[in-house]
């Protein structure tokens, strides 16, 4: 018996008549639903804003006191996922998606997602492509909530083309997006610090200088720079403190014997 063919609603490839998704997209759709079911537990764990559950990792890290007791963005995401999953299940069972009175399902969100993934009409109901697109979008939001991208900041210029490079706190190597040169992140940071310190015209506040040294891997406190300034050991101008004078004291191993209250009343405006 001859059977017709139609286009898959997701990838537009040819599939059998009577189906709205091809076999590959059906498997991908079911896999995404099962992955979301797996993510429900870590999502509930990350509702507590005083803990960072580490995404899918069981390790929890105590963080600073949050402005709210729970993460409202995660709560909203769970509510949206729950509403979408139940609406999808009603469509799969042939019930009006908005007719919540005819929804006999009493299972939790995780069970609903698993039931949708294994439903026999997953690749044949009319709006399969649309719901696959919606579920994929929710899956991306869940991934960002559980494993937020690492914050990256500028660490210095590329040695070859002078393009400003950015890296995360744990990155050991960085690749230039322009010339493709791979460089050690620590080397880039130290090269930037060298440029600042070898130029007698470069000046900054105590906080800016301390940050530049610390980012490069040389721990230096703002209070230390202020103590050296108040004791007359640094080159100070109305524009700020010279990086070179701080560098000379750092490499010489200059000790800091802070007296109680010495940093409480800075005499000049370079400590900000």
């Amino acid at each position: 018996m001859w059977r017709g063919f139609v286009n898959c609603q997701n990838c537009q490839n040819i599939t059998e008549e009577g189906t709205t998704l091809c076999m590959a997209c059906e498997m991908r759709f079911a896999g995404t639903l099962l992955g979301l079911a797996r993510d429900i537990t870590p999502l509930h764990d990350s509702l507590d804003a005083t803990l960072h559950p580490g995404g899918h990792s069981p390790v929890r890290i105590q963080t600073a006191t949050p402005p709210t007791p729970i993460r409202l963005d995660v709560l909203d995401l769970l509510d949206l996922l729950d509403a979408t999953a139940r609406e999808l299940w009603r469509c799969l069972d042939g019930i009006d998606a908005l007719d919540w009175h005819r929804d006999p399902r009493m299972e939790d969100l995780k069970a609903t997602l698993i039931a949708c993934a294994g439903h026999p009409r997953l690749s044949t109901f009319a709006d399969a492509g649309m719901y696959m697109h919606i579920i994929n979008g929710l899956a991306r939001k869940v991934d960002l909530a559980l494993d937020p991208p690492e914050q990256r900041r500028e660490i210095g210029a590329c040695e070859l083309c002078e393009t400003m490079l950015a890296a995360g706190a744990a990155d050991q190597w960085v690749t230039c997006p322009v010339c493709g040169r791979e460089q050690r992140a620590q080397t880039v940071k130290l090269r930037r610090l060298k440029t600042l310190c070898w130029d007698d015209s470069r000046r900054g506040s105590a906080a800016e200088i301390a940050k530049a040294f610390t980012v490069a891997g040389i721990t230096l406190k703002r209070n230390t720079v202020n103590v050296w300034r108040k004791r007359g050991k640094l080159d100070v101008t109305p524009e700020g403190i010279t990086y070179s004078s701080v560098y000379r004291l750092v490499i010489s191993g200059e000790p800091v014997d802070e007296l109680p209250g010495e940093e409480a009343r800075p005499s000049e405006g370079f400590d900000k």
Side-chain angles (χ1 to χ4, degrees):
M1 178 178 171
W2 180 86
R3 302 181 66 179
F5 295 94
V6 294
N7 290 332
C8 171
Q9 289 185 357
N10 181 60
C11 66
Q12 302 305 315
N13 288 334
I14 299 297
T15 186
E16 293 184 0
E17 187 178 11
T19 62
T20 48
L21 295 177
C22 64
M23 185 176 296
C25 288
E26 178 188 6
M27 296 299 294
R28 193 176 299 117
F29 192 9
T32 303
L33 289 167
L34 292 175
L36 286 171
R38 177 205 61 192
D39 292 339
I40 296 303
T41 298
L43 270 177
H44 278 290
D45 291 342
S46 54
L47 276 173
D48 186 350
T50 63
L51 297 174
H52 184 273
H56 299 105
S57 171
V59 179
R60 298 187 179 190
I61 302 172
Q62 189 74 30
T63 60
T65 303
T68 58
I70 62 174
R71 293 176 61 186
L72 298 179
D73 58 328
V74 176
L75 184 63
D76 291 340
L77 185 56
L78 281 168
D79 288 342
L80 180 59
L81 182 58
D82 183 80
T84 304
R86 295 184 185 280
E87 179 181 316
L88 173 60
W89 180 85
R90 288 194 291 271
C91 288
L92 290 170
D93 264 14
I95 302 173
D96 186 347
L98 301 179
D99 188 3
W100 59 270
H101 294 287
R102 297 182 58 195
D103 187 359
R105 179 168 295 276
M106 301 301 294
E107 289 90 340
D108 58 12
L109 173 57
K110 183 176 181 179
T112 302
L113 289 166
I114 294 174
C116 289
H119 202 284
R121 294 188 64 238
L122 187 63
S123 65
T124 60
F125 79 103
D127 296 322
M130 181 190 71
Y131 277 98
M132 183 176 180
H133 176 74
I134 294 173
I135 290 296
N136 286 339
L138 288 174
R140 286 191 293 269
K141 292 181 179 180
V142 169
D143 287 340
L144 288 175
L146 291 177
D147 301 303
E150 183 180 19
Q151 184 177 6
R152 299 170 65 85
R153 60 182 177 184
E154 293 182 349
I155 60 172
C158 173
E159 183 181 21
L160 199 60
C161 65
E162 297 298 322
T163 300
M164 186 58 66
L165 304 176
D171 291 344
Q172 296 185 2
W173 292 87
V174 61
T175 302
C176 178
V178 176
C179 67
R181 183 181 180 88
E182 188 179 33
Q183 304 164 69
R184 188 179 293 275
Q186 188 63 30
T187 302
V188 177
K189 295 174 183 177
L190 289 172
R191 188 165 59 242
R192 185 185 198 184
L193 180 63
K194 176 183 175 181
T195 302
L196 292 170
C197 293
W198 286 28
D199 185 350
D200 290 336
S201 66
R202 302 301 292 267
R203 294 170 172 81
S205 67
E208 292 170 342
I209 294 175
K211 181 179 179 180
F213 275 84
T214 302
V215 168
I218 304 173
T219 302
L220 181 64
K221 296 181 179 180
R222 182 194 67 180
N223 287 350
T224 299
V225 179
N226 279 325
V227 169
W228 288 343
R229 172 183 56 78
K230 293 177 67 176
R231 293 177 179 177
K233 295 185 177 183
L234 301 176
D235 297 334
V236 182
T237 67
E239 290 77 23
I241 305 168
T242 60
Y243 282 83
S244 57
S245 62
V246 176
Y247 177 72
R248 286 193 294 269
L249 291 181
V250 170
I251 62 174
S252 68
E254 177 71 18
V256 180
D257 300 320
E258 298 184 25
L259 299 177
E262 187 168 16
E263 284 307 303
R265 295 180 300 276
S267 57
E268 299 179 38
F270 299 127
D271 63 329
K272 296 182 179 180

